[in-house]
Amino acid sequence: MNEPNIARCAAEAEQQRSEFFECMDRINRVIHQSDDVEQMLWRVLESAFGMFGCDRIWLFYPCDPEAPTYRIPVEITRPEYPGAHALDVEVPMKPMGDRFCAKVLAADGPVVFGPATDPPIFPELSERFGVRSQLSMALYPRVGKPWMLGMHQCSHARDWSDAEQRLFEGLGRRIAEGLSTLLLLRDLRQSQERLNLAVTGSREGLWDWPDLDQDAMWWSPRVYEMFGYRPDELKPAQSTLVALASLEDQERFWPTFQAFLNSDEAVYDFQFRARSKAGEELWIGSRGRLVRDSKGRPLRMSGAFEDITQRRRVEDELESYRLQLERLVDERTAELQRANDQLKRANRELEHAGQELRHSEERLRLFIKHAPAALAMFDRDMRYLAASHRWKTDFGLGDRDLIGLWQYEVFPDMPDHWKEANDRALAGEVTKVDEDRYERPDGSVQWLRWEARPWHDAVGGIGGIVVACEDITAIKIAEQARRDSESQLQILFEKSPLSIVLVDPADMHFVRFNEKAHTSLGYSREEFARLCVFDLDNRYSAEEIRAILPKLQNSDWHQFESTVRTAAGETRDFQITGQVVEIGGKPLLLQILEDISERKAMERELRQAKDSAEEANRAKSDFLATMSHEIRTPLTVVMAGIEHLLHNAADPQQKAVLEMVDNSAERLHILIEDILDFSRIEARRLEIHREPFNVRDCLDNTLEMFLMQARDKGLELATEISPDVPDTFCGDADRLAQVLINLVGNAVKFTPAGRISVRVDRDAQNLLFRVEDTDIGIAQDQLGRLFESFSQLDSSLTRKYGGTGLGLAISKSLAELMGGSLSVSSEQGKGSKFSLTLPLQAAPGEGEFAPCAEAVSVVEPSPALILLVDDDPQVRKLVGLILEGGNWQVTTVSSGAEAVEKILEQRFDLVLMDLQMPGMDGLEATRIIREVEAKSGGHTPIVALTAHARIDYKEQCLAAGMDDFLSKPVNKKKLRGMLEKHLRDSVEDASSLSCGR
């Protein structure tokens, strides 16, 4: 061979090597970029198809001469030459296919087939698929049976070159390597998926302790759920379990565990009490299996936690059964452990991936056996490989050994649809039923949720099925109860007599409403569904509703009133009550609408009637005040004149007449006071004071008024105060005295002979006054009228005893205003008992009064200067007569202006000021005097002396700057007592420095 030919051959050889490596590099990249078997095979064949320019390239499985048929799982072909994969057919292995397989399996590399080869291309290939030339080789992945890689040339008879055969051989070997790797990875993933599925579907919390020398474990999510924590809140460790355990069980943890490790036991079973995150006490059962090395030393443990809180309640009854079951478990576990050791010794030469796969399958069987769920594992013939204890319990199989038994022999009456589901699962389908009714042999009905799914062997084939069942009978019962409840609620919602709506806060549209909601407003259901709150509310604008919406959403219940437009355009009043509720994860406004139009109209009428009544009452009060003023002024003159004449009368007959006139004037005065008190109570203008007072002094002063009258009638008037009643209380002493005067006065008036007793007691809350007499008594049918205004029980009594019928009505009202009550019990002919109950509290610091103890040297004071201001000359004259003989000097003026002028001219010790005077009245004069004193200093006591007795007049007087208030008519005692009080206060103020030394 000449040099040019040698060079050309070398160049061609170099080019062929370059193309070979380039092609193999492309194939390697395709394989490395694939993580799925099928994806890798398609991509590799697609690349090879372009390299070789053939009509068809394919993969054949299984390359087994004994197989009845073969299939083409992957195939790349030209459209005009479809193959077995494209036509979706399985090709019979005989009569010629088995010879092809045998020859390929016997060869060490590619094999060429053509019309003249041995064996030749058989008619099935040439006639049906148009094959004229074929290049094939066997692939031997490390998992499963051999495959065959082949190429067809259909357009013409092709001679395959050595370079093509070498490239084809390299391609085949590389595919076999990639196929081995990906098949192993796929089987490993499927095994892991089966294990994960079993773990997540378990009710027990699984755990694994890979290294007993380290405090680090693996827990399944169910463990955290069992204790009520999130995974990020607990460290999976043995020390964490000790911390969660109760104090009583913490001391047992490590000694029990160490004793187990030192024993020959393979199964660890420990029960302890623990606290959940919510503080609930749990009983936890920890059960696991210990794995030891060849020398018997502990390596690792795996097991499960179970919440056995409920089970502990019946544990004593199940103790014997549990011991028997544990013995069987230990025996079976020992057998399985021995079998597992034999398998590990027999397969020690297998690669790590295969070992992990078998370990996963073994763990799955162990898990199924000890899982708290009803799980069973079957082979392709539906014979038991494993079954959990729960499976046996739920289906009433007792302690029967199921391993190797046929499922349809164990359950001869199995429903047909269960058998069909098992067949579909064996064909590769995952079948599940969420609700299935199962009638047990004893006739009871059980509802089950079950799932059947295939499990795969090491080569990817279906090895059998796993069936999981769950008893959902309780759930079904609860769901039916819920449906019944929802149906009842729906009926209540639709048939409610109140309008009920659900509103979306986002756009204020009505999401749901009942029949009453749209019919009460005159809308059809369709019309109402298109409306929103803004279309109906007649009081609030859309902006105002949006502004108050956050407040409604943040409150529990809300209630407000608004006006709503009906379909006819009418405006009606509604009361809207509601709260925010969450339905389907979305907040909605639940609103109950009540039509209150009639009530609002009635309220408006009542307000008008109330206003009219209050106006009439004000008119009555003004009339009574005017009449009181007009009566009090002349009555003051009459009473003062009588008192003066009585003081100077020497003739007994004249004195008796004057006393009768004085008694009549006093009765007239009491009548006026009763009418005014009744008017104040009706107008709610009566003021109750709360000041310290001595209850014994109050009672003594009251009874002192009736001692002479009782003695004249021959009555015994007795008092009794319980020793536990303190002296001083806080309350209105004047109003208390007014009630007691009325009660004691009535007793004296209506008791012809016998005894009257007044008793005072105290309980934890109240002060109790009881006035009991031996009077004529009151009939039971008339007791209810006793406290009515202007009511006398018998008109003859009115004529005999007198009175207006206001006394007891006023007394009862005063008792209630003071926070107490007034009641009566009586027996006709035997007497009556009135009970006054008041919530008076003892005054703080009782008995700790500290008046000035040292006497002050007494100097005869000079006469007090008093200025009397009144426009009525008779009043001025009689007041002057009353004040005769006292240590004071009285100056009189007739108007407010004259009073201001006198005050500016000289100093007075006290001013008696009338209110209603021509020109400047008493209030204006007082204000001017106080303004002058504010500038110049000093303070002159000013006492109102007026015929006005209403409480609002007293308030006006005090607000103008007056110091006290005295209503006409006045007698000598009242007037002098008022003067002495304010003149004494002035003296005490002047001597305060001496007392403070």
Side-chain angles (χ1 to χ4, degrees):
M1 184 179 294
N2 55 31
E3 293 184 1
N5 290 335
I6 295 174
R8 185 171 62 252
C9 291
E12 290 176 355
E14 183 62 31
Q15 183 178 356
Q16 290 176 359
R17 278 198 305 274
S18 177
E19 291 176 351
F20 175 83
F21 289 123
E22 182 180 348
C23 292
M24 292 307 298
D25 183 60
R26 288 169 57 190
I27 295 301
N28 283 333
R29 285 201 300 272
V30 170
I31 292 175
H32 290 157
Q33 292 171 0
S34 302
D35 59 357
D36 178 74
V37 174
E38 188 173 357
Q39 178 191 49
M40 183 272 289
L41 295 177
W42 279 99
R43 289 181 178 178
V44 168
L45 291 193
E46 187 175 4
S47 296
F49 184 74
M51 295 177 191
F52 289 96
C54 56
D55 294 325
R56 185 184 301 121
I57 186 168
W58 42 266
L59 276 168
F60 171 119
Y61 182 83
C63 185
D64 183 3
E66 302 300 325
T69 61
Y70 66 88
R71 58 187 177 90
I72 305 295
V74 183
E75 176 185 80
I76 305 295
T77 182
R78 297 190 190 279
E80 60 267 28
Y81 301 113
H85 179 82
L87 297 176
D88 193 19
V89 296
E90 286 193 355
V91 182
M93 185 64 75
K94 295 183 178 181
M96 295 295 291
D98 54 344
R99 296 178 62 191
F100 270 55
C101 289
K103 187 169 183 178
V104 170
L105 290 172
D108 192 27
V111 180
V112 176
F113 295 96
T117 60
D118 182 22
I121 295 177
F122 52 93
E124 178 73 19
L125 287 178
S126 60
E127 294 173 4
R128 188 173 185 181
F129 299 109
V131 179
R132 300 181 66 180
S133 296
Q134 176 175 318
L135 181 61
S136 302
M137 72 173 290
L139 306 182
Y140 298 94
R142 282 170 287 184
V143 178
K145 296 181 179 180
W147 294 55
M148 184 188 295
L149 172 65
M151 292 192 295
H152 286 161
Q153 194 68 43
C154 302
S155 57
H156 61 278
R158 179 170 177 175
D159 291 329
W160 307 93
S161 67
D162 292 340
E164 290 175 332
Q165 292 187 36
R166 285 195 300 273
L167 179 59
F168 184 75
E169 182 179 1
L171 172 65
R173 297 190 186 283
R174 191 64 188 95
I175 290 175
E177 293 174 0
L179 190 60
S180 297
T181 301
L182 291 179
L183 283 176
L184 285 172
L185 289 175
R186 185 191 67 181
D187 292 345
L188 188 60
R189 280 199 297 270
Q190 290 175 345
S191 178
Q192 188 63 42
E193 288 174 359
R194 290 195 296 272
L195 181 60
N196 289 340
L197 179 63
V199 169
T200 56
S202 171
R203 288 184 179 178
E204 287 190 346
L206 305 183
W207 55 268
D208 183 44
W209 195 350
D211 187 351
L212 298 184
D213 292 331
Q214 301 295 323
D215 188 25
M217 303 174 68
W218 170 86
W219 291 351
S220 70
R222 173 62 180 146
V223 178
Y224 301 97
E225 179 185 342
M226 192 180 299
F227 290 108
Y229 289 90
R230 297 192 309 272
D232 59 349
E233 293 179 322
L234 282 182
K235 174 188 174 183
Q238 184 78 349
S239 58
T240 304
L241 293 176
V242 175
L244 291 173
S246 65
L247 295 176
E248 296 87 341
D249 292 337
Q250 284 181 1
E251 297 178 355
R252 298 192 298 120
F253 246 93
W254 290 114
T256 304
F257 183 67
Q258 290 298 329
F260 165 73
L261 293 180
N262 296 329
S263 70
D264 295 331
E265 294 290 332
V267 177
Y268 175 68
D269 195 346
F270 181 67
Q271 296 180 0
F272 62 95
R273 286 163 292 182
R275 287 284 177 184
S276 70
K277 184 177 180 181
E280 298 175 341
E281 184 179 75
L282 305 174
W283 268 101
I284 302 298
S286 177
R287 185 176 177 82
R289 175 168 293 281
L290 176 65
V291 178
R292 301 177 183 270
D293 60 15
S294 58
K295 296 182 179 180
R297 291 175 297 189
L299 292 179
R300 65 179 302 158
M301 287 184 66
S302 295
F305 295 126
E306 182 182 2
D307 186 346
I308 59 171
T309 306
Q310 297 297 328
R311 193 180 71 198
R312 289 284 298 192
R313 298 175 182 173
V314 295
E315 192 174 32
D316 292 340
E317 299 177 10
L318 299 175
E319 183 65 22
S320 60
Y321 176 79
R322 185 180 64 80
L323 292 174
Q324 180 183 2
L325 191 60
E326 284 185 355
R327 186 177 66 254
L328 293 174
V329 169
D330 291 341
E331 293 173 357
R332 196 60 172 162
T333 301
E335 293 176 6
L336 290 174
Q337 184 64 43
R338 287 192 295 271
N340 188 44
D341 293 341
Q342 293 172 0
L343 287 173
K344 284 192 288 186
R345 286 192 300 271
N347 294 288
R348 204 167 284 166
E349 70 279 359
L350 294 179
E351 296 183 0
H352 181 69
Q355 292 175 349
E356 285 297 321
L357 180 60
R358 281 188 295 277
H359 290 185
S360 297
E361 291 176 352
E362 183 64 23
R363 285 197 296 269
L364 177 60
R365 286 192 179 93
L366 290 174
F367 167 73
I368 289 175
K369 183 174 182 179
H370 298 287
L375 296 175
M377 188 175 183
F378 303 92
D379 61 13
R380 290 192 61 84
D381 296 327
M382 290 303 297
R383 295 189 179 276
Y384 279 91
L385 297 178
S388 68
H389 301 303
R390 179 65 64 79
W391 178 277
K392 296 180 181 180
T393 302
D394 286 357
F395 291 107
L397 301 176
D399 58 354
R400 187 175 178 183
D401 187 3
L402 301 177
I403 305 303
L405 296 182
W406 190 38
Q407 168 74 331
Y408 305 135
E409 176 187 352
V410 177
F411 291 97
D413 299 326
M414 177 178 288
D416 291 338
H417 69 281
W418 284 15
K419 296 179 180 179
E420 295 170 0
N422 292 339
D423 293 339
R424 293 199 303 273
L426 287 170
E429 180 183 346
V430 175
T431 59
K432 62 174 64 176
V433 175
D434 290 333
E435 295 179 359
D436 200 353
R437 187 178 184 273
Y438 172 60
E439 186 171 347
R440 303 183 67 160
D442 61 1
S444 62
V445 175
Q446 187 177 19
W447 285 91
L448 299 174
R449 177 187 292 129
W450 57 265
E451 178 180 303
R453 60 173 57 241
W455 61 269
H456 297 80
D457 57 21
V459 296
I462 295 176
I465 63 173
V466 176
V467 180
C469 286
E470 180 183 0
D471 188 344
I472 60 169
T473 306
I475 297 175
K476 286 289 293 182
I477 295 173
E479 286 180 351
Q480 183 61 43
R482 178 181 58 79
R483 284 193 293 269
D484 294 343
S485 176
E486 289 178 352
S487 176
Q488 294 170 2
L489 289 175
Q490 177 66 19
I491 293 173
L492 291 174
F493 178 80
E494 287 296 335
K495 302 302 181 184
S496 172
L498 297 175
S499 300
I500 306 175
V501 298
L502 283 171
V503 180
D504 188 346
D507 55 11
M508 298 305 286
H509 273 80
F510 298 110
V511 176
R512 191 174 177 187
F513 48 87
N514 65 353
E515 182 179 357
K516 181 69 174 179
H518 66 86
T519 57
S520 64
L521 298 176
Y523 291 97
S524 67
R525 181 172 287 274
E526 293 73 17
E527 292 171 336
F528 198 80
R530 293 191 295 269
L531 300 176
C532 69
V533 173
F534 307 138
D535 299 322
L536 298 180
D537 199 292
N538 201 38
R539 174 174 295 178
Y540 300 105
S541 65
E543 291 73 17
E544 291 174 324
I545 292 176
R546 289 192 180 96
I548 65 175
L549 190 58
K551 297 180 181 178
L552 300 183
Q553 292 176 311
N554 293 329
S555 63
D556 290 336
W557 279 96
H558 54 264
Q559 188 176 81
F560 60 92
E561 295 180 1
S562 187
T563 54
V564 177
R565 287 186 296 274
T566 66
E570 179 186 1
T571 299
R572 298 189 67 80
D573 294 301
F574 274 81
Q575 178 175 282
I576 302 172
T577 305
Q579 70 170 165
V580 176
V581 297
E582 187 171 302
I583 299 178
K586 182 177 182 180
L588 297 174
L589 289 176
L590 171 64
Q591 305 283 10
I592 302 174
L593 287 70
E594 181 182 1
D595 191 339
I596 58 171
S597 302
E598 295 182 1
R599 190 184 81 189
K600 297 293 287 188
M602 186 181 298
E603 288 177 356
R604 287 191 289 270
E605 293 176 1
L606 289 175
R607 280 197 298 272
Q608 292 175 359
K610 179 175 176 290
D611 293 341
S612 300
E614 289 178 350
E615 182 62 30
N617 194 46
R618 283 194 296 272
K620 181 190 72 174
S621 298
D622 292 341
F623 171 76
L624 289 174
T626 302
M627 291 300 298
S628 171
H629 182 274
E630 295 303 321
I631 293 174
R632 283 171 180 273
T633 299
L635 187 62
T636 298
V637 176
V638 171
M639 294 181 69
I642 292 171
E643 188 174 13
H644 180 72
L645 291 174
L646 278 172
H647 182 71
N648 296 315
D651 185 354
Q653 186 174 1
Q654 289 180 351
K655 191 168 184 178
V657 171
L658 288 172
E659 286 177 348
M660 287 189 294
V661 174
D662 185 51
N663 288 336
S664 297
E666 184 61 29
R667 287 175 59 189
L668 180 60
H669 181 210
I670 293 171
L671 174 62
I672 293 172
E673 291 296 332
D674 284 349
I675 293 174
L676 284 177
D677 279 345
F678 180 71
S679 174
R680 292 190 192 104
I681 292 170
E682 274 196 332
R684 312 302 295 178
R685 292 180 175 177
L686 191 68
E687 183 179 359
I688 300 298
H689 299 282
R690 182 176 172 82
E691 297 173 345
F693 72 94
N694 189 294
V695 69
R696 287 175 169 78
D697 292 345
C698 179
L699 188 61
D700 291 344
N701 294 336
T702 300
L703 297 181
E704 186 179 357
M705 299 170 61
F706 299 100
L707 288 176
M708 293 295 295
Q709 189 177 353
R711 188 180 302 114
D712 292 343
K713 295 182 69 175
L715 300 175
E716 178 186 357
L717 186 58
T719 62
E720 182 179 355
I721 300 178
S722 177
D724 62 344
V725 176
D727 289 337
T728 309
F729 284 84
C730 287
D732 195 326
D734 293 338
R735 295 303 176 186
L736 173 61
Q738 184 176 349
V739 175
L740 293 176
I741 288 171
N742 185 274
L743 297 179
V744 176
N746 283 347
V748 173
K749 181 192 298 184
F750 294 109
T751 303
R755 184 175 186 271
I756 299 170
S757 65
V758 181
R759 177 173 176 83
V760 184
D761 291 297
R762 182 192 186 193
D763 62 17
Q765 302 291 334
N766 302 293
L767 198 60
L768 310 176
F769 297 85
R770 293 183 179 87
V771 179
E772 192 169 358
D773 58 38
T774 56
D775 64 8
I776 57 179
I778 306 168
Q780 294 297 317
D781 58 348
Q782 294 183 340
L783 284 176
R785 297 174 49 216
L786 192 62
F787 296 107
E788 295 179 0
S789 304
F790 303 105
S791 173
Q792 291 280 1
L793 299 184
D794 189 346
S795 59
S796 64
L797 293 178
T798 306
R799 290 191 297 271
K800 179 177 180 181
Y801 295 105
T804 62
L806 285 175
L808 287 177
I810 292 173
S811 296
K812 183 173 178 63
S813 297
L814 289 174
E816 292 173 350
L817 286 173
M818 288 186 287
S821 63
L822 178 61
S823 60
V824 61
S825 62
S826 180
E827 187 176 351
Q828 204 164 8
K830 291 188 177 181
S832 304
K833 181 171 69 173
F834 287 83
S835 299
L836 174 63
T837 302
L838 296 176
L840 299 180
Q841 298 296 323
E846 180 196 348
E848 298 178 4
F849 301 108
C852 295
E854 296 182 2
V856 181
S857 58
V858 179
V859 179
E860 185 67 26
S862 57
L865 302 179
I866 298 174
L867 177 62
L868 173 62
V869 186
D870 200 303
D871 63 327
D872 192 324
Q874 294 180 349
V875 173
R876 293 198 301 273
K877 183 174 181 181
L878 285 171
V879 170
L881 290 175
I882 290 173
L883 297 179
E884 280 185 356
N887 189 29
W888 37 61
Q889 180 178 335
V890 181
T891 302
T892 62
V893 294
S894 60
S895 69
E898 294 179 12
V900 172
E901 185 176 345
K902 279 290 185 182
I903 288 291
L904 294 175
E905 290 178 355
Q906 70 176 100
R907 184 190 67 80
F908 288 92
D909 296 306
L910 187 140
V911 179
L912 292 172
M913 182 76 74
D914 189 17
L915 296 186
Q916 191 171 336
M917 295 179 292
M920 183 184 298
D921 61 18
L923 295 175
E924 184 178 358
T926 300
R927 282 192 286 267
I928 294 175
I929 293 171
R930 292 306 184 215
E931 290 176 359
V932 172
E933 290 177 343
K935 297 177 181 179
S936 61
H939 180 84
T940 301
I942 302 177
V943 177
L945 183 62
T946 175
H948 292 293
R950 278 178 18 196
I951 189 65
D952 52 344
Y953 280 104
K954 180 177 180 181
E955 292 172 352
Q956 293 178 27
C957 293
L958 297 178
M962 294 186 182
D963 296 274
D964 217 329
F965 184 90
L966 193 61
S967 62
K968 301 174 184 176
V970 296
N971 55 30
K972 184 175 182 179
K973 181 178 180 181
K974 285 172 58 178
L975 181 58
R976 289 195 171 201
M978 181 66 72
L979 296 179
E980 290 171 355
K981 171 186 173 183
H982 287 283
L983 291 175
R984 182 176 64 250
D985 290 345
S986 298
V987 173
E988 289 175 353
D989 290 343
S991 61
S992 60
L993 290 175
S994 298
C995 293
R997 269 199 310 270

